[in-house]
Structures are given as C-alpha cells and as structure tokens.
Amino acid sequence: MSRRLKIFVSIIGFIFILLAVGGLWVYYNINSNQGRVNGPPPGWKPFNFRVLQVQVDNNITPEVVANATGISIDQIDGPGVLGLITVKIPANKNFLEIRKKIFNLKGVRSATPAINSYAFKIRVPDDPYLDKQWAIKKISAEQAWPLSIGKADIKIAILDTGVNGNHPDLKGKVEQGYNTFTGTSNTNDIHNHGTLVAGVAAAFTDNSVGMAGIDWDAKIIPVKVLNDKGISGTTNFNFKGTTYRQISTVAAGILWAAEHNVAVINMSLGKSRKAALEYINDPSKWPKDLSDQDRQVYEKLKSENLSLDDLPDFLFQDAAKKAAVEWAYKKGVVIVGASGNANEKWVSYPAAYPQVISVGASTPDDERKKPPPWKDWLPFLDKWGSNYGKKLDVLAPGSNIFS
C-alpha cells in the first residue's frame, strides 16, 4: 500500500467531518462577534484584474509573454518549477485584451485573474458538549477510537483565517504555521473560522474540556490564507528560487504546507458563482477606486447578460491555485476542500480540481443539506444548501456541526 493511501485510510474518518465544515452552519464555543453570515463578507472583491496568472508549458517564457503583450518584462514572474507565470498588468492596459493575447500563445494551459476566496458561512451559539456532536455518532467514531485515536506525527494544515493556539481545547496541539499575507509565523485568528475547523479535526479529547476532536493526537499547522474578514488576496511568495510578486494567498499557503511535510491540507473556502454574477451585474458593489481599464472589464462582462451557466471558467479556476494543488498532490499530500454552501450545481474551486477530495454537507438523515422549502417565509431559518454536481466526491456531516 502506498504512503499516500496509508495516510488517507488512517485519517479518512475525521476528514469526512473536517471537510464538511466548508458547507455548513456550525456551532462554535469560542468568543466571537461573527454571528450569522449570509453570502460573501463585506469588502469581498471576486476578481483582481490587475494580475494575470498563467499556467504554461516549457516553451513559454517571460520574454515570450512580454513580446506578445507589450508589458515590460520586469512586471512578469516565473515560470519556475510550477510552470506558472504571473503578470502585473499596468493600469493603462485592459485585462481581457491581454488575456486574449496570452491565451492564444501555443503552450498556454490556462490564464486567469487572481481570484479571491472567502470563508464559508458559520453560525455561533455557545453550548459545548459531546452530546451536541451528532456527527461523532454518525461516523461511528466512538467505535473507532478503541482501535485508534490517531498519530502524533500526522500534521493537518488548516488553510483558513488562522488558528487560536491558546484555546484550551487546542493549546499544545497547534504548531508553528505561516501567514501568507505577512510572510511570518503570526497566524492569530481574529475571525475564528479557522479555529472552529481545527477543533472539529483535532481538538483535545477525553480532557473534560469543551468538545471532542476526531483525531486525538494529530497536530494542527495553521496557514493563514484568509484575512481577518475571511477574504483571500495576493501576496509576494518565493518558491524554490522563483519569486512571484502577485500570487494568490491560497496558492502560497498550499505550496508552503506541501513543503512542510503535512499529511493533509484542508480548505473550507471558495467562491459562489451566484455571488460573483451578482457582483458583476451590480455596479454599486464595484470598488469605488476602480480603474478605467477594470471598469471596462466589468462593463463588458455585464453587457453580455451572462447566466450562471454562461460564466466563463477562467473567472473561477485560479491558475496559481491549480498549479499549487497539482504540486501538492505530486508530493503525496491528501488535499480536501469544501464543495460550497450556495446550493449551486457547481462544486466551488479549489474543491473542484480533480486532485482535491470535494466534500459536501449532509444532514443527520444522510441527505444533502438543502434550503428548507419555506425558507422565504421564515427568514430566521438557515437558508443555505450544500453545492453539488459532477465534481462532488462525497457528502459528510455538515449541518449544525458543533465546534
């Protein structure tokens, strides 16, 4: 049995719950002012049209890109071992025109803007007891624990808003991580989303405090890829001798984790197609400081009267995240991602990449979590539904998960 398969088999029980955190309302017992969140957080911008991320074959170099676009070569990074070129687009050039010139080059695999993800929704009551953790019984964890409570050498990278390493149910289990925004080890979690995900995976168990984690002994490696509002961005990141000055923080986090011997990468983040389309079609949501060139891009997309089915894939398949996922997969890392919680028939990226185990949320009745039929009449009810579709791999407990 390969090392990858052994790791997968040894931890698949708790991964199923860990993954479902991406498409749920969760119970969370750490002081938080996040409350109930509907849709993207304030300040979220789905696209960065000043950055073009390009996956390329060996024949495409920065010089080739510069010649094709007229952009100065000092604004172009890569390709390095990832086969990824990032282009900082000047303010006087149009993203769609530059993308077309590059995408028409032979040897270009994909060309996308930097795409901003956000933490999937949470709900915050405050009653912490094992009997609230219905998922523990659903996956028969109590029957599995006499056989194994996990291994201390298993490291789980939580790519999220950071992790509160001082929480009494996590203190001593959280090892040094990485902040993709600052390039430091400061992974303090102001938002709290990452901390609740870590608690589901590996909170201290059988210690008369708080809740039970699925894996009692695994270590948590916090990788801060979402800011304190729960939104990703772009950053400077050096990978094996190549410095990318404009790369997705999520991609940087995946690469950092893969190079630090983690067994599992968990990502409870993504982007809703409906939210992105609403953003495109509503100029009041556009940034106040939008450049003339970016305004032209948004106006062009808006003028096409796109439906959810018509939205082009390059607005969702971030090339840097894709290259990072492929690299981590080749390293033998088990990568898991949340399908999304917008009740859409498309699995959100990065969960939709074939190298990622995409997990949707199920209910105590083993059904996919769906919005209740009376959701529009009773506004206080949970209206969310778990994303589904051809790229969904598995459902796991994800409705009213306590952490």
Side-chain angles (χ1 to χ4, degrees), residues 45-71:
K45 302 173 185 177
F47 317 107
N48 182 348
F49 289 126
R50 293 299 90 200
V51 178
L52 184 64
Q53 302 177 141
V54 191
Q55 270 194 300
V56 299
D57 293 333
N58 292 334
N59 61 307
I60 301 294
T61 64
E63 289 79 8
V64 172
V65 172
N67 290 336
T69 62
I71 294 176

Side-chain angles (χ1 to χ4, degrees), residues 13 40 117 197 226 247 268 280 284 324 348 362 391:
S117 303
V197 174
L226 305 177
I247 191 174
S268 295
I280 290 169
S284 70
S348 176
S362 64
K391 296 181 179 180

Side-chain angles (χ1 to χ4, degrees), residues 127-137 142 210-212 402:
D127 34 320
Y129 299 110
L130 179 60
D131 60 3
K132 295 292 185 183
Q133 295 181 256
W134 67 267
I136 294 285
K137 298 185 184 301
E142 292 167 313
M211 61 171 290
F402 171 81

Side-chain angles (χ1 to χ4, degrees), residues 271-276 308 339-348 368 385-389:
K271 181 173 74 173
S272 159
R273 293 176 75 95
K274 182 179 179 181
L308 289 174
S339 70
N341 55 4
N343 199 45
E344 296 175 347
K345 62 180 180 180
W346 302 273
V347 172
S348 176
R368 178 178 69 86
S386 186
N387 289 16
Y388 56 99

